[in-house]
Amino acid sequence: MMSQTMKRYQTKQSVQRDLQEVRRKEIQQLCSQLNVLLVNKMNGRVEGAYINQKKLQSHTRQLQYNSANLQKQSEQWLKLLDNFNEALKEIGDVSNWAKSLEDELTKISHTLAYAYKGEVEQNQSNDLILE
C-alpha cells in the first residue's frame, strides 16, 4: 500500500510538474508577446519623435534661410531709403538754390526796369528842355 501511495504521489507530482512546466511556458510566451508589444509601442513613439525631430530641423533650417533673406532684403531697403532721403535733400537744396536765384534775378530785373524808367524820364525831361 505504501508503494501504491508513493506511486500515486509521484504520479501526482509528475502531473503537477508537467502542468507547472506548461504554465511556465505559457507565461514565458505571454511575457515575450507583452515584451514585443511594449517594444513595438516604444519603437513607434521613438520613430514618431525621430520624424518630428527631422521635421523640426528642416523647418529650423528653412526659417534660418528665410530670416537671412529677410535681413538682406531689409538692409537693401534701408540703403534704398537712405539714397532716396539723400536725393530728397539734394532736390531740396536745388529747390532752395533755384528759389534764391529766382529772387535775385527778380531783384536785378526790377532794378534794371527802375533804372531804365529813370533814364527814359531823364531823356524826356532833357528833350523838353531842349525844345
Side-chain angles (χ1 to χ4, degrees):
M1 181 145 171
M2 184 72 150
S3 78
Q4 268 188 348
T5 307
M6 187 64 134
K7 271 189 174 183
R8 276 196 320 229
Y9 174 75
Q10 286 176 348
T11 306
K12 195 174 184 183
Q13 284 294 330
S14 175
V15 169
Q16 283 291 353
R17 265 184 266 139
D18 289 344
L19 184 60
Q20 227 174 8
E21 184 64 26
V22 168
R23 286 181 182 161
R24 187 181 62 78
K25 285 182 182 181
E26 286 176 356
I27 288 176
Q28 280 181 339
Q29 187 179 10
L30 289 173
C31 286
S32 177
Q33 289 174 355
L34 178 63
N35 191 24
V36 168
L37 288 174
L38 290 174
V39 167
N40 287 342
K41 182 80 169 175
M42 289 304 295
N43 283 343
R45 288 183 179 175
V46 168
E47 182 182 2
Y50 179 76
I51 290 171
N52 287 341
Q53 180 183 3
K54 287 296 179 184
K55 285 180 183 177
L56 283 173
Q57 287 174 345
S58 173
H59 288 301
T60 301
R61 280 192 296 271
Q62 185 65 37
L63 182 61
Q64 288 172 339
Y65 175 77
N66 289 345
S67 295
N69 283 342
L70 179 62
Q71 183 178 1
K72 287 177 186 176
Q73 192 174 29
S74 296
E75 288 172 0
Q76 290 173 349
W77 288 349
L78 285 174
K79 286 179 184 177
L80 283 173
L81 186 60
D82 286 342
N83 291 341
F84 181 70
N85 282 338
E86 194 63 34
L88 283 178
K89 286 180 186 176
E90 289 174 6
I91 288 173
D93 291 345
V94 169
S95 176
N96 287 338
W97 173 78
K99 180 71 174 156
S100 62
L101 184 62
E102 181 183 0
D103 290 343
E104 288 177 13
L105 289 175
T106 303
K107 287 178 187 176
I108 291 171
S109 173
H110 287 204
T111 304
L112 288 174
Y114 182 73
Y116 178 72
K117 186 179 176 184
E119 190 176 304
V120 168
E121 287 177 3
Q122 190 177 22
N123 284 341
Q124 285 177 353
S125 67
N126 283 343
D127 284 343
L128 288 175
I129 297 176
L130 289 177
E131 287 181 8

